[in-house]
Amino acid sequence: MNFRLSKIFVAIASGVALSGCIEVKDDSNDELTAALLEQNRILSEQSNQENPVYTVTLAGSVVDVFDGKIIDNALVTIRTPTTVIADKVAVTNGQVVVEGVPSNTSVEIVVESTDDSFVSRVFYRQTLVTTTANAVQDLGRFEVSEGETYAIEVVDSQLNTPIEGLVFTGSSASGAGSTVSNYLHVSSFDAVNGVYNITVPKFIIFRVTASIDADRDGRRDYEPESFSLISGTQISISSTSLNDISTLRLAPLGDNGAANDVEVRLSIIDAAGNPLENGSAVIGDSFNDTVAEYNAETQQYVFDASFSSSFRIDIPAFSEEEKNYDSSSVTVSEDSDGRLRISTSNSNGDSFYTIPFTDVIDIPLQPRYTNSPSNDLSIVFRSNPSESETNGLSIFYSSGISVAASNVSLINQDGYSVVRGNDSDSDTILPGTTLITGGVSVPVTFTTSLNGTKLNVEPVEELSKNDSHSYKIGALNVGVQEQSIDLSGDDNIRFSSHSLVDEVAFDIMKLALDNNSFTSNGEAIVTENTAGEASSTSNSNRTVYLFFPPELNQLQQFVLRQTGLISDGQSRTDSREYEIVRNGLIRSASRVNLVSAAENENVDRRNTNGSFFYGTALSDQAGIYFTNTSAFLSDNIDVEINSITFDYAYETKAGEVFTGSLTLPVQ
């Protein structure tokens, strides 16, 4: 027995180290069970004495978000994820005080009206960590708003009848919590009037959305007449704009989605109607990248094409039987009545006609020709690099060309290089000066095809996202004599690289406040300039900027509300709203480049785009975003707290919605 007990108490010691208590199982040994129960009682008492559970008293005020006036006709319920702590506590003079709330705990605070004068709202908050009893936590203002019911009309544009089966929802919750779905504002369909009715808080900004992807295949089931309220596979409306929207007109797409699929059979013929076999035909757009195959049996150029409303076929210049044929094109587009319009360009007898929509399209084309090659050169078609997944460029010329590698270039206009005065003794940049030069060359590869009439250029590396770039094609060699021709239409082909940063998700915790004061935590960030001269900068009140990561351009909507500000330890309730992103467009934030330098450094900028900051505590980086908070604060240091608190709500372009609150110190 003694040996057995010693082994048990070794296990007890191990268990206490992990949990402080022992699980007791009845194995019919009453003496041993009683001993273990007593040991548990002693351990529990010791644990409670050594680690007491403290509670806090929560306080806050209920106010009207429109004018800040206090609201008395409110009831407040506070819950943890498992327990109701206070149920429908009445406010007094707009104030609510609840005692006995566990510290360091996520709580759900529901504010309801006694007379339906405002819409119920939920607030998710975290109670403070405390090591003392009777701590009080002031949660500030609980903002609520009167409700208003809006009617949203959605109509089938083909049948002119209401579209049923949609569900509009929105969340006015403050903060993030797992029960947010319990507090969504949800529409109901009024079959008599053919509209969706939804009641929302009138003056609180959030998004009201409805999916138009019923089969969840990732594609819209309807094509809108206007895309102003369409975000991916959702209708997306700001809650404050519900009263301003007109009827939404949507056309059902059917099973084939946004694209029509057809087979094209192109007959390229001479003046006598004989087939020409040396030509080629190509379609290059967002739906197609296709070169036709010549069918010797039917003597036609055949390929499949997909299109939403129209597509264009390009026929590059070619030679056959000592005749030189100019380049030409055919445009196929769908008419409002479903018929197809066919138009030819730069051909003999340019034509325009309509045909019934059919899965197989036969098109005849007679290109123009001359007996001697022409030295005239023109651009027949030029692609938009922004539409290409790789940001590549395709150009079709009227005649075959060749080009030297030195005459094909790509420049990142927003890129820049930095040379500091103490980087090298062999450059011409003197100590005490930092040179920033705009424009960075990007390596490319290029090929010619289709008898030299098509030039394709591709970046060797992935381009910096959302930057302005430009292709430049220099002198081209044309004809047997390789006459040199420099066209103006390909000298400066500007485009913006893809705006979506796919590989990194937007992270709200990357937001930062900085006053660009050349100091951090009250101390100089760069203590001397590149000439070795000490910087005399000091911590002082300066304009505070809010910085966002480059992934801001992944968001569809983003709203911030400033709910509190601490200036040198003194709390203020300054309130301000920022609509950073609306419908995928960044509205109230600008791009900025960060280059760290001493305050007494001479910065020389040449041919640069955009803004530059030199005195932030953030790392050197290009193309982040910032907005002016209008606050005037110094650095946050231990003895003088300087920070701003925000509520946030944002929606990604994938349709995910996040809400919460964060407090940012001034760096």
Side-chain angles (χ1 to χ4, degrees), residues 516-530:
N516 197 32
S517 64
F518 296 85
T519 63
S520 179
N521 198 30
E523 301 294 332
I525 300 170
V526 181
T527 57
E528 60 182 30
N529 65 13
T530 57

Side-chain angles (χ1 to χ4, degrees), residues 535-556:
S535 172
S536 59
T537 187
S538 60
N539 185 25
S540 60
N541 286 347
R542 300 199 187 193
T543 300
V544 176
Y545 301 98
L546 179 59
F547 291 90
F548 308 88
E551 299 82 46
L552 181 67
N553 57 31
Q554 289 191 23
L555 301 186
Q556 184 66 19

Side-chain angles (χ1 to χ4, degrees), residues 556-604:
Q556 184 66 19
Q557 318 290 342
F558 187 17
V559 177
L560 285 169
R561 173 173 291 149
Q562 180 179 312
T563 58
L565 181 148
I566 299 177
S567 175
D568 292 338
Q570 300 298 311
S571 179
R572 305 204 308 256
T573 56
D574 295 1
S575 180
R576 186 181 178 191
E577 290 186 356
Y578 308 82
E579 188 178 20
I580 306 299
V581 181
R582 180 197 294 178
N583 294 333
L585 299 177
I586 298 174
R587 295 178 54 83
S588 55
S590 304
R591 280 167 57 96
V592 67
N593 305 305
L594 305 182
V595 176
S596 184
E599 191 168 27
N600 58 340
E601 181 82 356
N602 174 42
V603 178
D604 182 4

